[in-house]
Amino acid sequence: MPAGELRHTESSAEVEGEAWVWAQIKAEARRDAEAEPALASYLYSTILSHSSLKRSLSFHLGNKLCSSTLLSTLLYDLFLNTFSSDPSLLAAAVADLRAAHERDPACVSFSHCLLNYKGFLACQAHRVAHKLWIQSRRPLALALHSRIADVFAVDIHPAARIGKGVLFDHATGVVVGETAVIGNNVSILHHVTLGGTGKAGGDRHPKIGDGVLIGASATILGNVKIGEGAKIGAGSVVLIDVPPRTTAVGNPARLVGGKERPSKLEDVPGESMDHTSFISEWSDYII
């Protein structure tokens, strides 16, 4: 299956996983409502009053992204109908929730991610915009894209393809171009750009393999491939392909270990979130 593509069937394991995560979210919301009465009404309306994760997520996204002319009730129906018609979207949302919970030590609960992680929320709203895009409902997809950018400061073109188990950590300033593809189990930090190299059309944006980690403020330009399990250091500028299981750092980026015999990574950086283990090989500079 190509990177960034989601299946349109839901396995029994995915159904059970979704049920377990939803049960955890409701238990967390009940606990937090008891501990902090000021949040009781909010937690009831966003989580506890809903019978399923897709209804809770649809309600929350609708309220986050609505405006005076784009009503929350319209958006709720749009999100709910889309999640209901394509089970792979909800399975991806569950995988994204798990990714945040497992990879980000600041993620104290699944409910915290569902309610407060704008990277997670932007990604789920993008999945719906992408579905609209491939259904040729492009004006609505672009309107939703605009609201996502306005509200969450995350700019993902609705044509871009994103896999599952994806973490947009902090997420502010992330830009993902029209023909970009992001694989499964990828982690992307704030102010990352997956952009083009000019005004030429066609397939012009990066292709990010499974398990990749892209550090904060990294810029990847053009139709380049970042191989499976590669790591892009913070602040790097990448203009050419990066081989699988290697680390690219710098401006312009170069491979740790050199082009001929680059150092190979043993872990999956998109899951381990190891940003700095390459430093001893990269530089002897000490502050």
Side-chain angles (χ1 to χ4, degrees), residues 199-210:
K199 63 180 182 180
D203 193 357
R204 61 196 185 279
H205 296 103
K207 310 297 181 285
I208 310 300
D210 295 346

Side-chain angles (χ1 to χ4, degrees), residues 225-237:
K225 294 181 180 179
I226 308 301
E228 179 178 341
K231 182 190 302 185
I232 309 299
S236 299
V237 177

Side-chain angles (χ1 to χ4, degrees), residues 14-25 98 101 110:
E14 287 173 333
V15 172
E16 292 174 2
E18 176 196 329
W20 183 85
V21 168
W22 177 235
Q24 289 293 114
I25 289 171
R98 288 183 177 274
H101 195 257
F110 289 109

Side-chain angles (χ1 to χ4, degrees), residues 13 51 60 73 78 84 91 93 95 131 137 149 154 163-164 170 179-180 205 258:
S51 60
H60 193 44
T73 50
L78 173 65
S84 298
K131 188 72 174 179
R137 301 176 67 184
V154 176
K164 61 183 181 179
H170 301 290
T179 60
H205 296 103

Side-chain angles (χ1 to χ4, degrees), residues 98-146:
R98 288 183 177 274
H101 195 257
E102 292 168 3
R103 299 176 207 165
D104 183 3
C107 185
V108 296
S109 64
F110 289 109
S111 60
H112 173 49
C113 180
L114 172 65
L115 295 177
N116 303 322
Y117 270 41
K118 66 178 184 177
F120 169 79
L121 294 170
C123 187
Q124 309 324 307
H126 163 76
R127 297 190 197 284
V128 173
H130 179 69
K131 188 72 174 179
L132 295 170
W133 184 269
I134 62 178
Q135 291 173 340
S136 296
R137 301 176 67 184
R138 296 189 173 182
L140 183 54
L142 290 168
L144 187 54
H145 160 245
S146 178

Side-chain angles (χ1 to χ4, degrees), residues 59-187:
F59 177 86
H60 193 44
L61 286 174
N63 278 280
K64 283 283 189 180
L65 295 171
C66 68
S67 69
S68 59
T69 54
L70 195 60
L71 301 182
S72 61
T73 50
L74 182 151
L75 290 175
Y76 172 76
D77 288 341
L78 173 65
F79 288 125
L80 183 58
N81 290 338
T82 307
F83 287 133
S84 298
S85 67
D86 188 348
S88 71
L89 300 183
L90 196 61
V94 171
D96 294 350
L97 282 167
R98 288 183 177 274
H101 195 257
E102 292 168 3
R103 299 176 207 165
D104 183 3
C107 185
V108 296
S109 64
F110 289 109
S111 60
H112 173 49
C113 180
L114 172 65
L115 295 177
N116 303 322
Y117 270 41
K118 66 178 184 177
F120 169 79
L121 294 170
C123 187
Q124 309 324 307
H126 163 76
R127 297 190 197 284
V128 173
H130 179 69
K131 188 72 174 179
L132 295 170
W133 184 269
I134 62 178
Q135 291 173 340
S136 296
R137 301 176 67 184
R138 296 189 173 182
L140 183 54
L142 290 168
L144 187 54
H145 160 245
S146 178
R147 288 299 299 154
I148 296 166
D150 287 348
V151 173
F152 299 125
V154 176
D155 189 341
I156 307 175
H157 192 282
R161 291 183 287 154
I162 299 179
K164 61 183 181 179
V166 174
L167 171 62
F168 288 101
D169 195 2
H170 301 290
T172 300
V174 166
V175 176
V176 180
E178 179 181 7
T179 60
V181 178
I182 299 172
N184 300 321
N185 303 316
V186 171
S187 293

